[in-house]
Amino acid sequence: MNRRAVVTGASSGIGEATVRALRATGWDVAAVARRADRLAALESETGAVAFAADLTQATDVAALAAWLAESGPVHALVQVAGGARGTDRAEDGKSEDWQWMFDVNVLAAQRTVAALLPLLRRAAASDDHADLLFVTSTAAQDAYPGGAGYNAAKAGEAMLAHALRLELNGEPIRVVEVAPGMVYTPEFTLNRLGGDADAAAKVYAGVEKPLVAEDVADVIAYALNAPGHVNLDLITMRPVAQSAQHLLARGPLRVRE
């Protein structure tokens, strides 16, 4: 029997790339996202099994958990779904944007973990171990101007992972956090900036080789495929051009003479 992973946010970006990376390394995958049309195409291309759900809705999460329980074991939950809205300063922040970010990054993750943890425990008991993997962000580690809402939401998700690792101590369940820096995911940036394509393009302008979704997916697959006794607590990854959250080189990378 192949191990099976549930990947959220699977209709685009890092989530979609993760589905492809896990399928390429032999996993069965349940691909979860809101957009059923994109999931259907991914299902056709990769052999993953699609399940359309809005994880901010308790009824959708309950339906997902019931379907998974009926369709086979769950060895890993890969929590990719999330997002950002706006780049306002804290004093100008829109409460509805902050609420949305907390809902999709923190509450949806907690709700999904709570619903699927019994399935993960069942798989861990029979098949050596299970995994909870969260894709957070370097925004969870360092604040930056205009990022307070997203900083707070991703820090909240990171703390969920940290607390779970402590709460699950003694159980054969690994809790992994992957925190990417700049990733070239145009849809994410376009959504954050309210559809302003010019502003979204400027985010990546002049940056030599930012990370791409496939880079993050490769790290996720590596973490899940590591021996079951090896837990990669926190993997922080950035492009070479980004030495820190606030320090980004624009222009060709070159050796200083």
Side-chain angles (χ1 to χ4, degrees):
M1 180 185 296
N2 290 340
R3 296 177 74 82
R4 182 165 70 148
V6 178
V7 179
T8 71
S11 62
S12 65
I14 294 170
E16 179 184 345
T18 299
V19 171
R20 296 181 186 279
L22 291 178
R23 289 293 296 144
T25 56
W27 286 74
D28 291 335
V29 178
V32 180
R34 289 179 295 106
R35 292 175 290 189
D37 55 338
R38 293 200 180 189
L39 289 179
L42 185 63
E43 183 177 62
S44 176
E45 292 172 22
T46 66
V49 180
F51 190 95
D54 180 350
L55 301 181
T56 67
Q57 302 300 313
T59 52
D60 281 20
V61 175
L64 171 64
W67 173 73
L68 288 168
E70 293 172 359
S71 57
V74 177
H75 299 91
L77 169 61
V78 184
Q79 177 61 35
V80 184
R85 279 189 181 172
T87 57
D88 296 330
R89 293 164 57 91
E91 62 187 300
D92 303 315
K94 301 177 181 65
S95 59
E96 59 271 23
D97 288 346
W98 285 53
Q99 181 67 62
W100 181 86
M101 286 187 280
F102 195 80
D103 286 345
V104 301
N105 292 289
V106 183
L107 293 180
Q110 182 277 329
R111 187 179 292 115
T112 306
V113 167
L116 300 194
L117 195 51
L119 303 181
L120 291 163
R121 284 188 166 118
R122 190 180 308 163
S126 61
D127 298 321
D128 184 60
H129 70 280
D131 293 284
L132 284 165
L133 189 148
F134 297 82
V135 178
T136 61
S137 170
T138 55
Q141 302 172 4
D142 296 295
Y144 56 91
Y150 188 55
N151 292 143
K154 280 301 183 185
E157 184 182 6
M159 283 298 127
L160 171 61
H162 298 178
L164 276 166
R165 192 177 299 113
L166 302 178
E167 293 169 357
L168 296 175
N169 178 250
E171 299 189 53
I173 300 176
R174 303 186 296 189
V175 181
V176 180
E177 179 187 355
V178 177
M182 174 177 274
V183 184
Y184 182 68
T185 46
E187 184 176 346
F188 171 90
T189 306
L190 193 64
N191 289 338
R192 181 175 193 174
L193 298 177
D196 187 333
D198 290 338
K202 289 178 182 177
V203 171
Y204 305 103
V207 179
E208 184 173 324
K209 294 182 180 178
L211 299 179
V212 293
E214 289 75 16
D215 295 325
V216 183
D218 284 347
V219 169
I220 291 169
Y222 179 87
L224 294 183
N225 287 319
H229 68 284
V230 178
N231 195 99
L232 301 175
D233 285 17
L234 170 61
I235 306 163
T236 299
M237 55 186 300
R238 294 186 175 94
V240 173
Q242 187 183 32
S243 299
Q245 191 73 14
H246 67 285
L247 187 57
L248 180 66
R250 297 188 187 271
L253 299 176
R254 62 188 184 280
V255 174
R256 184 176 294 116
E257 306 220 357

